[in-house]
Amino acid sequence: MEWRTCNSRLALFSAAAVVVVLFSACHVSAGEGARAGTYIVHMAKHAMPAEFAEHRAWYGASLRSVSGAGAELLYAYDTVAHGFSARLTPAQARALERLPGVVAVHPERRYELHTTRTPEFLGLDRNEGLFPMTGTAADVVVGVLDTGVWPERPSFDDAGLGPVPAAWKGACEQGTNFSASACNRKLIGARFFAKGYEASMGPIDESRESRSPRDDDGHGTHTSTTAAGAARGMAPRARVAAYKVCWLGGCFSSDILAAMDAAVADGCHVLSLSLGGGSADYYSDSVAIGAFAAMEKGVLVSCSAGNAGPAAASLSNVAPWITTVGAGTLDRDFPAPVLLGDGRNYSGVSLYSGKPLPASLPLVYAGNATNSTSGNLCTPGTLIPEKVRGKVVLCDRGVNARVQKGYVVRDAGGAGMVLANTAANGEELVADAHLLPATGVGQRAGDAIRAYLRADPSPTATIAFSGTQVGVRPSPVVAAFSSRGPNAVTPEILKPDLIAPGVNILAAWTGAVGPTGLAVDPRRVEFNIISGTSMSCPHVSGLAALLRGAHPDWSPAAIRSALMTTAYSAYSGAGAGAILDVATGQAATPFDFGAGHVDPTSAVDPGLVYDLAPEDYLDFLCALNYTSLQIASVAKRPNYTCAAKPYAVSDLNYPSFSVAFATASGDGVGAAPATVEHARTLTNVGAPGTYKVAASATAQGGTVKVTVDPTELSFAKAGEKKSYTVSFTAPSLPSGSTGFGRVVWSDGKHVVASPVALTWT
Ligand SMILES: *[C@@H]1O[C@H](CO)[C@@H](O)[C@H](O)[C@H]1NC(C)=O
Ligand SMILES: *[C@@H]1O[C@H](CO)[C@@H](O)[C@H](O)[C@H]1NC(C)=O
Ligand SMILES: *[C@@H]1O[C@H](CO)[C@@H](O)[C@H](O)[C@H]1NC(C)=O
Ligand SMILES: *[C@@H]1O[C@H](CO)[C@@H](O)[C@H](O)[C@H]1NC(C)=O
Ligand SMILES: *[C@@H]1O[C@H](CO)[C@@H](O)[C@H](O)[C@H]1NC(C)=O
Ligand SMILES: *[C@@H]1O[C@H](CO)[C@@H](O)[C@H](O)[C@H]1NC(C)=O
């Protein structure tokens, strides 16, 4: 078997150098069978030997030369990447890496999902005239890579939409519980990608999920209708294409890359990915690689920042050609206060809408109704039924799903649940559609209720369900779960880029599971309210579609710049302070919200933008000292050579500033102040005008001097570009010190604001 492969390979490649590689490869292949995993193989497409008629044949032959005659490609990639994915042992992967034409071989990674009043909150209802709702707006297609779609929801109603845009090349793939007629003029495409998943996890269990674009989870229906749903979505005239890449066991990068490949080839203008897999170098991150090619083709890629906050440096999806979205709250709440037997009450939130609780019931702490050391968390099987029956049970938040804790309490005979935050979540309240009367309270309330439980020999409680409350102030606040900077991959690029609504978001839901997503939840709902940066990302994807419709000639970087420089980072009104961070109760910083909270009505007319072309990102890769092969992986440039000139990451024309100072060795006391210079270029996208700058920054423990040159920029016509430099001069501060500021250009009408974050390491 192995020999036949080798022989056939020898016939294909006649170069002597190849023979040596092949023999070692065959040797490896014969000695190692097990431990196979999926690898993504990037190929130098131009290097295909003349013997092959097409790339797929070359890819297949390369694969079989290291892993046997029967080996098959999982996917061949042709649009956002050149290459393929396949099952290989680590040794086979190493052998493949040595073959000519192979740029890089990376093991597959598993990604996870980053699990209304929104249009009104964002001011879109009052300003509909700003965004053209016909013509170009209706030609914009948002591709959503997620768990698929439930097409029967009213959000996919295509009434009033014209024919599918002529340029659209997508498909409506049929499969289990999904027919080709499920698509319409709103949902214009639906595909599914399961080869990578099945290669690792075995065949999809069709009794539990559909091998088709059908969404049996809810997440994908929610995100796609948030982005472009007919009724409540951000871009109600845009079209949606669903690419199902996430299955019960996760989302695999070979499938994600294949979906990005298809979505860009199909003709999507915006890609929305509410998933992530931690941070990695761009050349080994499939989402970053796919997003680079999408950017080159004018497609904006919007990704969730992750739900790993409030820890610092907890971001996913930080490549500078990706728009990285954190989460804030809305001005809407679902109050459900806890009323204690001592007459005190504590505010809580809940989406529970069933039968209310009696006026007073015994209250018990789960940690006192269990034999298990983790019983306070209400994990399955830990509560002693005799101790909780008919009572309200206080459970601590953490480890298992919030709604599952409610199920555990109900299953043990409990009548209600108070879900109390611990230090990990602080005062952040996330409303859930609990299976039993239940409410979520903050850490301070949780501590007070636990103290009451200890003090009162016969404690009692009930929960009042008060419905929906709007106009909540302050709002937005940064959600505690929203992942935070600094950017662990490239500290000189500030991430997240901005925040958008991601707490208690209402959008369409699957018909396959109830609002909790638990198998035991028999309820079925058309809409559901859930939280996460998964929910904030499609808000920005939909707004990007609106901007794309309003300005079809803008690049993805120009669209992102408009969203960022017009975002707000303080509450409105005289003397109002910076947006708060719910995790600390203090003012949030650019590491929490980037440029701030998105403000779409300003974004449509930003005045100036910081534009970027693919070449600028190549300069950025050169500044990172990437090797030729690493650049080839990310940018598919064969033999790209960086020029013999100095490159600086700080010169990437980004709409924000992240300044990394080195802490002087020793205690640094008395070290001379250091200066870091950033170069930027502004492009006028508005009327002629003169802009003046205001710039400042402060750091605890030292004075920061910010100098902008020139301080005034005059633009005579649209499209004109003007450059400036900004220098940050600061003393050496202890490692871990931070500072923040802003660089703001204004012509009196437009405010073009950039956040500044300073770090000392
Ligand atoms: C397909 O739909 C039918 C009827 O709606 C349902 O009973 C079945 O569980 C679905 N199958 C899957 C795999 O979702
Ligand atoms: C909670 O207590 C406050 C006083 O501390 C009172 O004004 C309010 O009405 C109470 N709320 C409920 C629902 O009892
Ligand atoms: C509940 O358990 C805590 C320790 O977790 C203990 O301090 C407290 O006295 C217990 N309360 C009751 C009523 O048993
Ligand atoms: C808890 O421990 C008691 C006494 O050891 C035992 O009778 C009971 O079954 C245990 N309950 C659970 C839920 O483990
Ligand atoms: C790249 O290499 C140069 C020269 O060695 C060095 O000064 C610079 O700090 C490096 N850049 C990064 C991002 O590592
Ligand atoms: C790239 O470099 C390799 C080896 O350095 C060379 O064989 C090949 O011809 C080059 N390809 C191009 C397109 O320049």
Side-chain angles (χ1 to χ4, degrees), residues 547-626:
L547 289 181
R548 164 90 191 207
H551 303 288
D553 55 326
W554 282 10
S555 70
I559 293 173
R560 176 178 57 193
S561 175
L563 290 166
M564 287 174 66
T565 62
T566 58
Y568 60 95
S569 54
Y571 300 110
S572 61
I579 287 177
L580 296 178
D581 177 3
V582 76
T584 59
Q586 308 290 313
T589 75
F591 286 136
D592 309 318
F593 55 54
H597 193 278
V598 69
D599 179 13
T601 59
S602 306
V604 74
D605 178 23
L608 308 172
V609 295
Y610 293 90
D611 206 355
L612 282 163
E615 295 68 44
D616 299 313
Y617 292 112
L618 284 164
D619 287 352
F620 166 80
L621 298 178
C622 289
L624 292 181
N625 298 328
Y626 270 27

Side-chain angles (χ1 to χ4, degrees), residues 213-239:
R214 168 75 56 189
D215 176 15
D216 302 301
D217 176 276
H219 194 274
T221 303
H222 202 276
T223 54
S224 54
T225 58
T226 297
R232 290 171 177 276
M234 291 295 101
R237 306 299 297 172
R239 321 293 179 124

Side-chain angles (χ1 to χ4, degrees), residues 658-735:
S658 180
V659 189
F661 288 107
T663 295
S665 52
D667 62 5
V669 172
T675 298
V676 175
E677 190 175 286
H678 289 231
R680 291 291 187 273
T681 300
L682 283 160
T683 304
N684 184 27
V685 294
T690 298
Y691 284 79
K692 292 190 170 127
V693 78
S696 65
T698 56
Q700 253 180 1
T703 309
V704 183
K705 193 166 141 236
V706 186
T707 314
V708 181
D709 181 35
T711 57
E712 199 172 291
L713 295 173
S714 286
F715 297 88
K717 55 182 195 315
E720 198 176 353
K721 291 178 187 291
K722 289 280 168 82
S723 296
Y724 71 92
T725 60
V726 51
S727 316
F728 303 92
T729 304
S732 176
L733 295 179
S735 182

Side-chain angles (χ1 to χ4, degrees), residues 111-115 145-146 219 223 271-279 285 287 301-308 314-319 322-327 481-484 495-502 531-541:
Y111 291 70
E112 287 174 350
L113 294 166
H114 287 148
T115 291
L145 279 71
D146 211 295
H219 194 274
T223 54
L271 295 187
S272 191
L273 286 83
S274 290
L275 48 85
S279 63
D285 178 344
V287 169
V301 180
S302 158
C303 292
S304 46
N307 297 343
S314 50
L315 296 160
S316 299
N317 302 318
V318 295
I322 287 174
T323 300
T324 312
V325 188
F481 61 73
S482 189
S483 287
R484 314 302 173 95
K495 292 279 181 173
D497 290 312
L498 73 180
I499 61 168
S531 301
T533 54
S534 277
M535 282 64 246
S536 57
C537 162
H539 278 90
V540 166
S541 311

Side-chain angles (χ1 to χ4, degrees), residues 170-569:
C172 200
E173 293 178 354
Q174 54 185 49
T176 321
N177 280 5
F178 202 94
S179 81
S181 63
C183 295
N184 61 13
R185 292 175 172 195
K186 176 55 143 180
L187 179 67
I188 64 171
R191 297 184 185 270
F192 66 101
F193 299 83
K195 287 179 189 165
Y197 181 80
E198 292 189 314
S200 289
M201 307 289 284
I204 281 163
D205 176 357
E206 295 235 37
S207 70
R208 299 178 67 206
E209 58 182 338
S210 308
R211 205 173 179 288
S212 76
R214 168 75 56 189
D215 176 15
D216 302 301
D217 176 276
H219 194 274
T221 303
H222 202 276
T223 54
S224 54
T225 58
T226 297
R232 290 171 177 276
M234 291 295 101
R237 306 299 297 172
R239 321 293 179 124
V240 182
Y243 297 85
K244 181 170 172 180
V245 295
C246 294
W247 307 86
L248 279 175
C251 332
F252 286 71
S253 57
S254 59
D255 293 326
I256 295 170
L257 195 59
M260 294 180 91
D261 213 49
V264 171
D266 286 350
C268 291
H269 302 102
V270 175
L271 295 187
S272 191
L273 286 83
S274 290
L275 48 85
S279 63
D281 285 311
Y282 310 126
Y283 54 78
S284 63
D285 178 344
S286 294
V287 169
I289 291 170
F292 192 97
M295 171 275 296
E296 286 187 282
K297 293 192 158 36
V299 176
L300 182 140
V301 180
S302 158
C303 292
S304 46
N307 297 343
S314 50
L315 296 160
S316 299
N317 302 318
V318 295
W321 47 91
I322 287 174
T323 300
T324 312
V325 188
T329 61
L330 286 172
D331 64 341
R332 178 184 58 194
D333 217 342
F334 302 91
V338 184
L339 316 177
L340 299 183
D342 65 359
R344 274 181 248 205
N345 68 56
Y346 296 94
S347 53
V349 296
S350 182
L351 298 174
Y352 175 77
S353 60
K355 225 171 132 245
L357 285 174
S360 174
L361 287 173
L363 176 67
V364 63
Y365 180 44
N368 294 76
T370 181
N371 292 341
S372 157
T373 51
S374 64
N376 61 315
L377 296 167
C378 298
T379 50
T382 55
L383 294 180
I384 300 170
E386 298 74 48
K387 297 200 174 174
V388 302
R389 190 165 294 129
K391 296 180 184 169
V392 175
V393 182
L394 179 87
C395 302
D396 290 335
R397 188 165 159 189
V399 182
N400 58 331
R402 299 183 300 273
V403 288
Q404 190 193 48
K405 295 170 191 282
Y407 172 66
V408 168
V409 170
R410 193 186 76 170
D411 201 40
M417 174 178 72
V418 176
L419 181 59
N421 284 359
T422 59
N425 308 101
E427 299 305 309
E428 170 184 271
L429 298 184
V430 178
D432 294 301
H434 291 287
L435 283 163
L436 83 173
T439 189
V441 302
Q443 183 194 4
R444 282 197 296 271
D447 288 345
I449 299 169
R450 284 184 213 98
Y452 164 70
L453 274 162
R454 281 193 297 273
D456 193 320
S458 50
T460 63
T462 190
I463 302 168
F465 296 96
S466 320
T468 306
Q469 179 191 353
V470 296
V472 173
R473 293 283 177 271
S475 63
V477 295
V478 179
F481 61 73
S482 189
S483 287
R484 314 302 173 95
N487 178 339
V489 183
T490 317
E492 299 89 347
I493 301 293
L494 180 64
K495 292 279 181 173
D497 290 312
L498 73 180
I499 61 168
V503 180
N504 300 338
I505 302 303
L506 177 69
W509 197 243
T510 178
V513 294
T516 57
L518 298 175
V520 295
D521 186 350
R523 299 170 295 177
R524 293 295 178 267
V525 291
E526 293 217 325
F527 293 92
N528 193 15
I529 295 176
I530 54 174
S531 301
T533 54
S534 277
M535 282 64 246
S536 57
C537 162
H539 278 90
V540 166
S541 311
L543 294 174
L546 283 180
L547 289 181
R548 164 90 191 207
H551 303 288
D553 55 326
W554 282 10
S555 70
I559 293 173
R560 176 178 57 193
S561 175
L563 290 166
M564 287 174 66
T565 62
T566 58
Y568 60 95
S569 54

